[in-house]
Amino acid sequence: MPAPPATALVASPRVTPLLAAVALSLLLGLQPVTTDVYLPALPMLTAALGAPMSQAQLTMSALILAFGLAQMVWGPVSDRVGRRPVLLLGLSLYTVASAGCALAGSIELLVLWRVLQGAALAAAVVCARAIVRDLYEPVQGAQVMALALSGLGVIALLGPLLGGVTALAFGWRGPLTLVTAVAALTLIFIAARLPETLARPDPGATRLLPLLRRWGGIAANPVFRAWALLVACTYGGLFTLLAASSFVYMDVYGLSPAAYGAAMALGSLSYLGGTLLCRRWIPRHGLAGAVRRGGVFTLAGGLLIATTTWAGLPAPWAVGAVLLSQCVYCFGHGMHQPCGQAGVVAPFPQAAGAASALAGLLLALVAFAVGRWLGGALDGSVRPLAWGLAFWSLMTVTLAWTWVQRTEG
């Protein structure tokens, strides 16, 4: 067998499934760390910086938009130069931006630092998705991704709890300082333990015209479209929870930051349970079969919050209904995400970075639209959260029960 060309990068045999799962958990876990840890402090920083609701929501939606757009750059670059250089640069920028967020003196500066944070976060997430395709075939990749997302679930479980505690102890800057520490530790781990996984870089991956044709081909692929839309819609519901829940739980129902963190942690625990069940269902039912079953939980969560909000339950019961709806929806989300993340890159072993980036852009556009809508829709009631979650649950199950099922044909 001829030796690979000198420019080729050979995927290291040292990347065991356990190492891959831990690395993926940390890299993908930065996304809930970025969005969830500071949620208990969101009403506090809104008041401290004198920010209107639209600007407070911009700290979430602008980050997500930058996150989506930057993936379109990081994905092709990682296909050209490898995953490791992109990860090290992106994680370094992410650490700096996180420190900037913690030190920001105005809402405008905070939004700017969050934009840079989102752009840097994109490098970690797009490379993590591509690494799965570098190392594994789709079904095995989905199982490793489910294991990694179980680790992400643990991170998401601890994030709001720690965010609530640090917000009570140190004010709104406390959770953002915690994010900076997590960023630095992740950078150290990846630099020390994760080797290159891309066996053969593509020197033409960043050429504009071929890249546009590649994206066009990816977007035209019906398998990609089905899974990318599923991932975007299920995240649309999750982002509705993330962006609206702190105001609903804390401002409408009067929960403390610590109690709110505990409520979000229950949702993360449910998400973790969904990923664990997903790992059992994938070998038995395949990717499409797993999300078909997961759709039952997604729909139940959306319908529950819509019907109980419409019924106008009194406050103690209403809080319980919102919390139960959140947990059931997150359980379904824990099944859709591992399958969807593997499904979007499955048809493209030689362009996993570009496919991951395109799917990430779609997800970010959905989340940005949700954030901008909530900036004007939040009215001191639970209704925007309820109607938004119900809408995205219907969109998700429609895709999970129709278009996604046809990908197996």
Side-chain angles (χ1 to χ4, degrees):
M1 179 181 294
T7 57
L9 298 173
V10 179
S12 172
R14 292 177 293 151
V15 184
T16 64
L18 179 59
L19 173 58
V22 171
L24 291 171
S25 295
L26 291 173
L27 294 172
L28 295 172
L30 288 178
Q31 189 169 353
V33 164
T34 308
T35 55
D36 296 10
V37 169
Y38 99 123
L39 287 178
L42 189 53
M44 299 170 65
L45 74 86
T46 301
L49 298 179
M53 185 65 70
S54 58
Q55 285 187 308
Q57 287 297 322
L58 203 58
T59 63
M60 286 284 283
S61 55
L63 176 141
I64 291 295
L65 183 61
F67 169 72
L69 291 172
Q71 289 185 65
M72 304 300 285
V73 177
W74 293 121
V77 170
S78 75
D79 285 337
R80 177 174 179 173
V81 305
R83 316 303 182 200
R84 184 174 166 84
V86 170
L87 280 173
L88 296 181
L89 176 59
L91 290 172
S92 298
L93 291 174
Y94 178 84
T95 304
V96 171
S98 299
C101 290
L103 298 172
S106 67
I107 191 67
E108 291 81 9
L109 280 175
L110 179 59
V111 170
L112 286 175
W113 281 117
R114 291 282 282 178
V115 167
L116 178 58
Q117 194 180 34
L121 173 65
V125 173
V126 77
C127 286
R129 294 177 186 145
I131 284 170
V132 174
R133 193 63 186 92
D134 292 342
L135 299 175
Y136 306 106
E137 293 301 318
V139 171
Q140 186 184 11
Q143 292 178 287
V144 173
M145 180 64 82
L147 178 60
L149 291 182
S150 296
L152 179 149
V154 174
I155 294 171
L157 172 65
L158 296 175
L161 290 172
L162 295 175
V165 171
T166 54
L168 279 176
F170 304 107
W172 67 267
R173 297 185 192 275
L176 296 175
T177 303
L178 178 61
V179 173
T180 307
V182 173
L185 291 173
T186 302
L187 172 59
I188 292 169
F189 178 87
I190 295 300
R193 297 299 307 275
L194 187 68
E196 182 57 61
T197 62
L198 181 63
R200 292 180 177 82
D202 180 2
T206 55
R207 294 174 186 165
L208 183 58
L209 289 179
L211 181 58
L212 292 175
R213 286 195 294 269
R214 174 174 290 180
W215 275 332
I218 292 170
N221 186 291
V223 174
F224 171 83
R225 290 202 302 268
W227 288 111
L229 285 169
L230 179 78
V231 169
C233 288
T234 185
Y235 189 77
L238 182 69
F239 191 81
T240 302
L241 282 168
L242 295 177
S245 60
S246 61
F247 297 99
V248 169
Y249 279 119
M250 298 171 69
D251 291 348
V252 178
Y253 294 131
L255 270 63
S256 68
Y260 167 68
M264 295 304 290
L266 282 176
S268 299
L269 185 62
S270 299
Y271 172 82
L272 175 60
T275 64
L276 294 174
L277 183 57
C278 182
R279 287 172 56 198
R280 295 174 62 90
W281 277 355
I282 287 172
R284 298 178 184 178
H285 308 296
L287 302 184
V291 300
R292 183 172 66 248
R293 290 162 175 80
V296 174
F297 299 95
T298 301
L299 182 61
L303 292 180
L304 178 61
I305 196 171
T307 55
T308 54
T309 299
W310 176 79
L313 296 180
W317 293 99
V319 174
V322 172
L323 183 58
L324 180 59
S325 302
Q326 169 191 318
C327 290
V328 174
Y329 185 91
C330 288
F331 191 85
H333 185 69
M335 299 182 194
H336 297 311
Q337 277 293 303
C339 297
Q341 299 284 9
V344 295
V345 298
F348 312 104
Q350 303 305 318
S356 174
L358 196 58
L361 175 62
L362 178 61
L363 179 150
L365 291 175
V366 167
F368 181 76
V370 169
R372 300 309 293 157
W373 173 71
L374 284 173
L378 287 172
D379 57 1
S381 76
V382 72
R383 287 188 296 272
L385 171 59
W387 308 148
L389 190 63
F391 171 79
W392 289 112
S393 70
L394 289 172
M395 293 292 291
T396 301
V397 298
T398 298
L399 288 162
W401 292 346
T402 58
W403 202 350
V404 167
Q405 300 307 309
R406 293 196 287 269
T407 65
E408 290 195 335

